[in-house]
Amino acid sequence: MIKENKEIFRDTIGTIDDSGNRNFIYPKKPKGKLYNYRTYVSWVLLVIMIASPFIKINGNQFLLFNVLERKFHIFGFPFWPQDFHLLVISVLVSVVFIILFTVVFGRIFCGWMCPQTIFMEMVFRKVEYLIEGDRAKQIKLDKQPWNAEKIRKRILKWVSFFFISFLVSNVFLAYIIGSDTVLEYLSDNPLNHVGLLVKLLAFTGVFYFIFAWFREQVCIIVCPYGRLQGVLLDNKSINVAYDFVRGESENGRKKLRKGENRDELGHGDCIDCNQCVLVCPTGIDIRNGTQLECINCTACIDACNDIMDKTGFDQGLIRYASEDDIERKEKFKFNARLIAYSAILTILIAVLVTMLFLRNDVEATVLRLPGQTFQTTNTTVKNVYTVKLINKTTEDIENVEIKLISHEGVVNMVGGMLKIKRQDLQEGTLFIEINKKDLISSKEKLKIGIYSNGKLIETTSTNFSGPLKIN
Ligand code: SF4
Ligand code: SF4
């Protein structure tokens, strides 16, 4: 029914005009119950987003993604490059979760939880409303010449946006290089940290560009999650949707006239007031049906509910609903795709939890030194190795010794016993010398034990080479 209407809107986006130039959208300030709920949710999420890199658990940052030094902390658990498989499974679980969630609830995440939407609609947009006023005033200000009022408001807006972008980039950098480094820089003369200052200003520039100019185009053009909607959503997915059955009725939507009987005239409950379009931050008309541009922000629900209250119709002409709900009045059901996704998600979570619990606190790698062959004496064969020990715990590991478990022999650690600092990597060189009579072939697998204060804390294996004929 809607498709018959016109599909032309799918060939264009509201943010770019016919000649390819940026078309700025001036959404009307949303008002209503859902907008209030979204504001409260955004406060909570903003606190979590800003505080997460500054919270420490057992001395570990709550969330850290230090790609340069390959250090990752997730919920206070340190992950090392050696735990890469866990990271891959975590990412897989997240992807399947997002898919499953999207199949059922559409783009609710975009409207309520996405950092882009929260910063754009709940921080930058609110500052803009505060300085420049609502839609009509913003359009007027844009059109008026550069008089004192326009210069004052624009400078105030640009400086505020720059300041917020600078704060956001500090938090962003705390996720990447660690909050300690950022706090150290903040408490010192910035000129002592010129490199860091340059990075901060570069990120500030990026955030400023996104929130002052690029804006909703992140969701419309760039975001891969948004692009996926076309394949993830089906008629049973819940979305912000216009009830076209009720809104259009037999003879379509029509402006409200005093005293008319719309039932007799066959007109739907949509009075074509355009309020749902004016509040939309991506510049679309939800009455055209589900569109990729819709970030499910619910602003149009609030706007339409307000109109329904004023005209005496029931609320919910625009609401959270699936197309099937609207068309066939069907209730939500678990479909086959949803059951399959749930099964995969359960298995992946089980694998992830098991792997997390089975993860060793100490990781040992003993490898033969590249390019070095064995040395022999009359009675023994000797190989040289590099050893890497990773301490993933929050305590130092003292008096570390390396011993042979599978063979009789001597292990000589260059520099003696080791100490591995908490969450650190210790590297060294060691010699293993085995009596010829204890070797049966020229290439043998050795089992090696890592001990701390005499207690076995980890085992690993390595190869041992000797002459072809051992005698
Ligand atoms: S159509 Fe409605 S829910 Fe979608 S982006 Fe526009 S205002 Fe938000
Ligand atoms: S706000 Fe509601 S009544 Fe007004 S045009 Fe949109 S759907 Fe129709």
Side-chain angles (χ1 to χ4, degrees):
M1 177 181 307
I2 284 179
K3 277 178 191 159
E4 283 165 19
N5 212 343
K6 41 188 174 285
E7 290 278 324
I8 282 173
F9 67 91
R10 299 209 189 268
D11 301 334
T12 55
I13 53 173
T15 56
I16 298 174
D17 67 16
D18 291 343
S19 37
N21 295 322
R22 177 79 166 94
N23 205 7
F24 275 95
I25 289 167
Y26 304 92
K28 205 173 156 196
K29 190 174 181 207
K31 279 188 205 105
K33 203 167 67 179
L34 288 169
Y35 184 67
N36 291 342
Y37 290 154
R38 279 178 62 224
T39 303
Y40 304 141
V41 170
S42 75
W43 288 345
V44 174
L45 292 176
L46 278 170
V47 169
I48 293 172
M49 274 190 263
I50 293 167
S52 285
F54 298 95
I55 294 171
K56 297 269 178 92
I57 293 176
N58 292 329
N60 296 328
Q61 201 167 304
F62 187 65
L63 285 176
L64 172 77
F65 305 97
N66 190 338
V67 184
L68 298 176
E69 291 175 19
R70 293 183 292 167
K71 275 189 194 166
F72 303 93
H73 293 173
I74 296 171
F75 304 132
F77 286 105
F79 283 81
W80 289 77
Q82 283 74 5
D83 296 319
F84 188 70
H85 57 291
L86 289 179
L87 216 60
V88 172
I89 291 180
S90 311
V91 171
L92 271 176
V93 171
S94 314
V95 169
V96 176
F97 184 83
I98 289 169
I99 292 171
L100 177 71
F101 191 83
T102 309
V103 168
V104 187
F105 299 109
R107 286 180 83 171
I108 282 182
F109 169 84
C110 300
W112 291 78
M113 281 178 276
C114 174
Q116 161 69 23
T117 308
I118 288 174
F119 277 110
M120 185 65 245
E121 301 304 326
M122 295 295 165
V123 180
F124 288 87
R125 190 89 73 190
K126 280 184 191 261
V127 170
E128 195 167 61
Y129 287 135
L130 206 66
I131 296 170
E132 294 188 347
D134 208 342
R135 173 186 159 83
K137 286 186 178 162
Q138 286 181 21
I139 295 173
K140 187 170 161 250
L141 189 75
D142 235 18
K143 285 187 180 153
Q144 77 188 43
W146 280 93
N147 56 14
E149 185 203 9
K150 185 163 176 172
I151 293 171
R152 180 176 49 81
K153 286 188 172 171
R154 281 289 150 91
I155 289 180
L156 186 58
K157 182 171 99 169
W158 292 336
V159 170
S160 309
F161 275 22
F162 182 85
F163 181 69
I164 302 168
S165 301
F166 184 72
L167 290 181
V168 175
S169 66
N170 270 279
V171 175
F172 181 72
L173 227 57
Y175 277 101
I176 307 292
I177 59 173
S179 52
D180 290 344
T181 317
V182 172
L183 289 174
E184 192 190 316
Y185 140 80
L186 286 174
S187 56
D188 198 4
N189 180 351
L191 294 177
N192 295 336
H193 308 269
V194 176
L196 190 61
L197 189 63
V198 170
K199 280 181 206 149
L200 268 172
L201 289 175
F203 281 121
T204 304
V206 172
F207 287 124
Y208 185 88
F209 169 75
I210 290 173
F211 294 114
W213 194 85
F214 204 61
R215 303 188 148 198
E216 64 285 337
Q217 297 195 114
V218 170
C219 315
I220 297 175
I221 301 169
V222 181
C223 176
Y225 180 58
R227 306 280 66 70
L228 273 175
Q229 304 306 309
V231 284
L232 295 180
L233 301 181
D234 64 12
N235 287 355
K236 292 180 175 62
S237 306
I238 293 171
N239 269 306
V240 171
Y242 167 66
D243 186 339
F244 53 86
V245 175
R246 195 186 130 193
E248 306 293 314
S249 197
E250 280 161 30
N251 295 324
R253 66 188 79 142
K254 194 171 174 288
K255 297 247 182 267
L256 190 66
R257 290 232 174 87
K258 226 175 172 184
E260 71 180 351
N261 187 332
R262 290 178 78 88
D263 285 342
E264 270 179 17
L265 293 167
H267 291 304
D269 285 356
C270 174
I271 61 160
D272 209 10
C273 64
N274 224 32
Q275 290 305 306
C276 52
V277 182
L278 295 181
V279 289
C280 179
T282 61
I284 59 167
D285 185 342
I286 190 66
R287 294 171 298 169
N288 287 328
T290 307
Q291 292 151 78
L292 288 183
E293 292 98 320
C294 177
I295 54 167
N296 275 225
C297 74
T298 70
C300 53
I301 299 184
D302 278 333
C304 190
N305 280 344
D306 185 42
I307 296 295
M308 293 294 106
D309 285 346
K310 284 177 181 155
T311 50
F313 296 130
D314 290 340
Q315 286 195 353
L317 181 56
I318 303 177
R319 61 180 188 273
Y320 279 122
S322 71
E323 269 196 51
D324 278 357
D325 280 347
I326 290 172
E327 206 162 352
R328 298 206 289 263
K329 313 278 182 215
E330 261 185 13
K331 287 254 159 34
F332 169 75
K333 265 195 269 170
F334 270 92
N335 56 24
R337 184 169 62 163
L338 187 54
I339 293 165
Y341 285 151
S342 300
I344 295 168
L345 185 64
T346 311
I347 293 166
L348 282 172
I349 289 177
V351 171
L352 180 66
V353 171
T354 313
M355 283 178 139
L356 270 178
F357 277 102
L358 293 180
R359 192 180 82 142
N360 290 345
D361 287 342
V362 178
E363 187 105 21
T365 318
V366 179
L367 293 172
R368 287 193 58 223
L369 201 64
Q372 292 287 320
T373 183
F374 54 85
Q375 298 161 20
T376 54
T377 65
N378 282 345
T379 52
T380 63
V381 183
K382 196 194 264 185
N383 280 200
V384 60
Y385 297 85
T386 56
V387 57
K388 269 188 196 172
L389 297 171
I390 295 170
N391 178 1
K392 297 176 189 171
T393 69
T394 51
E395 309 279 333
D396 291 350
I397 299 179
E398 309 271 357
N399 300 327
V400 177
E401 281 180 287
I402 297 174
K403 294 179 188 172
L404 272 177
I405 295 177
S406 57
H407 292 66
E408 287 289 324
V410 181
V411 178
N412 275 320
M413 187 78 207
V414 177
M417 278 199 285
L418 292 168
K419 172 183 173 179
I420 328 169
K421 285 194 196 142
R422 60 187 287 275
Q423 289 179 36
D424 204 1
L425 166 80
Q426 181 77 48
E427 288 181 278
T429 306
L430 63 83
F431 291 92
I432 297 179
E433 195 167 6
I434 299 178
N435 209 308
K436 284 180 180 169
K437 69 175 171 50
D438 294 324
L439 296 166
I440 47 173
S441 73
S442 61
K443 201 161 225 164
E444 297 210 8
K445 200 112 196 130
L446 303 183
K447 188 172 177 193
I448 291 170
I450 319 296
Y451 294 79
S452 166
N453 292 322
K455 192 174 155 221
L456 182 69
I457 54 171
E458 169 68 329
T459 58
T460 185
S461 61
T462 189
N463 291 322
F464 187 88
S465 290
L468 271 179
K469 214 168 166 209
I470 311 271
N471 52 35

